[in-house]
Amino acid sequence: MEFDNSFDVPLAPGQAWSVLMDVPRIAPCMPGAELTEVVDPQNFGGKISVRLGPVALTFAGRVQIDSIDDVNHSARVKAQGNDAKGRGGANATATFHIEPAGTGSKVLIHTDLMLSGAVAQYGRGVGMIQATAAQIINQFAGNLRAQLAQQASAPAPAAPPPEPAPVALEPRTEPSSAAPALPRAAVPPPSSSAPPPPAKPISGFSLIARVLWQQIVGLFTGRRQ
């Protein structure tokens, strides 16, 4: 099945492109995702927990950025994973590109998804898959904007204190076994900034409610036509 999603980023296209290509930085913003391995700048290992209706699934697998166009700010990403309990797998190819939108940017994503095994039965309704994808993307975008705002408002790190000047010691006429006390260099306090916590998986109950609401809206819209 194929579907499209989009979200806005409060950055110019060039800046948004640099952020989105930094996978370790943005991975914590993805709901239910965990980056477990960085093979190289284009290959990663990880897992993601999602809900298809009332069923909770955890996929572990690989993600590869197999095509990058820095000039047009577009890329293609391939992901493959299997459910931890052996209920099937998922293969996805997502193509995204960034375009200017107002004072920021819009990220457009086209996804081609294939499910196998029992997982395909859980998500056989296209509306369920689309609602799940839309909710994941919306939460990811919100977490990313919050991360950018937090970094923008964080105070600049304080400059390290200057090295203390050497102390001139006057010669002593009497021998002494005690070593002169030298001033200790000040140790800068630890940074208070911390990486954002991983995003929580999407609630199955909220997803079911959203799908039902979309079906109700579609039913009344069809009657009006």
Side-chain angles (χ1 to χ4, degrees):
M1 63 189 72
E2 299 184 29
F3 46 89
D4 296 285
N5 300 99
S6 65
F7 63 93
D8 296 323
V9 181
L11 297 173
Q15 294 175 304
W17 174 253
S18 298
V19 170
L20 292 176
M21 295 303 292
D22 188 351
V23 174
R25 174 181 177 180
I26 66 173
C29 298
M30 183 66 69
E34 179 183 350
L35 188 65
T36 59
E37 181 183 9
V38 178
V39 180
D40 56 50
Q42 294 182 221
N43 293 273
F44 308 90
K47 60 183 180 180
I48 184 169
S49 299
V50 297
R51 285 182 178 272
L52 293 179
V55 181
L57 303 168
T58 298
F59 293 96
R62 297 284 180 176
V63 176
Q64 177 187 17
I65 307 176
D66 74 337
S67 177
I68 300 176
D69 185 346
D70 291 318
V71 176
N72 297 309
H73 299 149
S74 64
R76 183 176 62 201
V77 179
K78 292 184 178 180
Q80 180 277 329
N82 295 303
D83 177 60
K85 296 183 179 180
R87 292 172 290 186
N91 287 272
T93 299
T95 303
F96 71 89
H97 74 276
I98 302 173
E99 60 183 32
T103 58
S105 305
K106 181 178 287 293
V107 183
L108 305 173
I109 309 169
H110 178 77
T111 304
D112 186 355
L113 173 67
M114 181 173 65
L115 302 176
S116 60
V119 171
Q121 297 298 319
Y122 302 146
R124 59 185 174 181
V126 177
M128 179 70 72
I129 297 296
Q130 291 177 332
T132 303
Q135 201 166 9
I136 289 175
I137 292 298
N138 289 339
Q139 186 172 332
F140 168 78
N143 293 335
L144 180 59
R145 286 192 290 267
Q147 183 192 93
L148 294 173
Q150 180 183 16
Q151 292 175 351
S153 61
E163 292 290 334
V167 178
L169 301 178
E170 297 181 358
R172 300 174 62 97
T173 57
E174 297 179 1
S176 173
S177 59
L182 298 178
R184 299 178 60 185
V187 179
S191 173
S192 59
S193 60
K200 297 180 180 180
I202 291 174
S203 167
F205 293 104
S206 64
L207 180 57
I208 293 173
R210 178 173 180 148
V211 172
L212 291 176
W213 176 251
Q214 289 177 343
Q215 292 176 345
I216 294 172
V217 171
L219 177 63
F220 280 95
T221 302
R223 288 183 177 179
R224 290 177 182 175
Q225 296 176 350

